[in-house]
Amino acid sequence: MVTISEDESDNKPLLDSLNELTTAKASDSASEEPSHVDLPKLEYASASRIVNAGPRLGPDGKPHYLIDDIPDNEKMRLIRESGILKKYSHRTKENGANASDIDEDEIMDPDELEVLQEEYDSQLQDIPPWMDALIYTVALAAIYGLFEALVNQQYSMDITMSEVLQRMAKASPAIYFIVYLTSRYRKSRVANILILAGACACGCYFVHLNLHSPRLGIMRRAPGLVTMWMYLTFIMDVRPSVINAAVVGLFWILDPFKSTI
């Protein structure tokens, strides 16, 4: 056990021994040669090398750009959504007097634009119309059966699964016929107007049934009306759908048949 006294002369042997130990360790560490490890030098690419770097070469040895990885139909979709084709084809009409500055070879003919549009639409229509209508019919028939069960459950009427399947089977041909016609002629402006009118009629009549029709009328007509209303609203664009919702909402608020019944 080491004791330290208050007198400095008594502590001198202890201090001398401590000094000898520290000097010995320092000399040992200085005698050892430090080990040097050769680390690889990191080379950083300069900005000029990055800018001037060319495209990577493909398997055939030709330059391969990132845009080459995008499929052709996806390129056509991006071009179509950007609207650059329509702006470029009508460039002469918009510029007027400056139309002579544009090279005639660079102007896209509207007929060529329609051909490109038809080719793009044909690439999207991989599923034939009858198959598309069949897929929609299966989904809408299931929705129709669901509403049949819900309406009967709402009015405490017992219905079995076999009865629901029978009603779904009876409604499926009519659903398929309507879906096939709407999917085939949906691009027509007249067809879109008829679809909007049919959606408004289904929605308004469904509201009228809930407000004024007896229980039996609701049970028989509501499932089919709701199914068709949902389908017609689904295939419409945003603006016709908003118009449909506004018309049905106004019909429910105003209730034009409340005074006659």
Side-chain angles (χ1 to χ4, degrees):
M1 183 175 181
V2 179
T3 58
I4 300 175
S5 64
E6 296 179 356
D7 191 0
E8 294 182 358
S9 61
D10 296 336
N11 298 329
K12 187 176 180 181
L14 178 60
L15 295 175
D16 294 338
S17 61
L18 290 175
N19 290 330
E20 291 178 359
L21 288 174
T22 54
T23 54
K25 289 183 178 180
S27 62
D28 293 340
S29 61
S31 62
E32 294 180 357
E33 295 182 357
S35 58
H36 297 281
V37 180
D38 296 333
L39 297 176
K41 295 183 179 180
L42 297 178
E43 296 182 358
Y44 297 94
S46 60
S48 60
R49 289 179 60 187
I50 296 175
V51 172
N52 297 327
R56 58 188 176 90
L57 299 179
D60 53 355
K62 296 181 180 179
H64 187 78
Y65 298 91
L66 293 177
I67 195 173
D68 296 333
D69 297 332
I70 303 175
D72 293 337
N73 57 352
E74 185 67 15
K75 294 178 185 175
M76 189 62 199
R77 184 186 68 81
L78 296 174
I79 295 173
R80 176 172 170 264
E81 291 181 355
S82 65
I84 190 65
L85 293 179
K86 294 182 180 179
K87 293 180 182 179
Y88 196 67
S89 62
H90 296 86
R91 193 173 171 183
T92 55
K93 296 181 181 179
E94 294 177 356
N95 292 346
N98 297 328
S100 59
D101 299 337
I102 305 173
D103 190 1
E104 294 182 356
D105 297 333
E106 296 180 354
I107 300 174
M108 180 171 289
D109 190 24
D111 296 334
E112 296 180 0
L113 181 61
E114 293 180 359
V115 171
L116 291 175
Q117 181 66 34
E118 292 177 357
E119 292 178 356
Y120 173 74
D121 294 338
S122 63
Q123 291 177 359
L124 293 181
Q125 294 178 354
D126 296 334
I127 302 177
W130 65 269
M131 180 63 72
D132 192 14
L134 182 61
I135 295 172
Y136 273 104
T137 301
V138 173
L140 292 174
I143 295 174
Y144 176 81
L146 175 63
F147 280 110
E148 281 281 357
L150 291 176
V151 170
N152 284 272
Q153 183 68 25
Q154 180 180 0
Y155 292 100
S156 302
M157 299 293 294
D158 295 333
I159 186 171
T160 61
M161 190 65 183
S162 60
E163 293 177 354
V164 174
L165 294 176
Q166 289 178 4
R167 296 180 185 181
M168 290 170 56
K170 291 179 181 179
S172 295
I175 295 174
Y176 180 83
F177 180 73
I178 295 173
V179 172
Y180 181 78
L181 289 179
T182 53
S183 62
R184 184 170 184 178
Y185 301 103
R186 187 166 54 183
K187 296 181 181 179
S188 175
R189 183 173 299 178
V190 177
N192 290 326
I193 296 174
L194 293 177
I195 290 172
L196 176 59
C200 294
C202 291
C204 294
Y205 190 45
F206 174 70
V207 172
H208 173 70
L209 284 178
N210 281 273
L211 294 177
H212 304 292
S213 181
R215 180 177 65 178
L216 183 61
I218 296 176
M219 291 176 59
R220 288 186 176 179
R221 298 183 182 92
L225 286 173
V226 175
T227 303
M228 284 294 101
W229 187 23
M230 290 177 59
Y231 169 70
L232 295 176
T233 306
F234 175 75
I235 64 175
M236 287 190 299
D237 293 333
V238 177
R239 284 179 291 181
S241 300
V242 173
I243 295 173
N244 175 30
V247 170
V248 176
L250 288 175
F251 186 87
W252 177 68
I253 294 173
L254 299 176
D255 192 11
F257 295 97
K258 61 182 177 181
S259 59
T260 59
I261 298 178

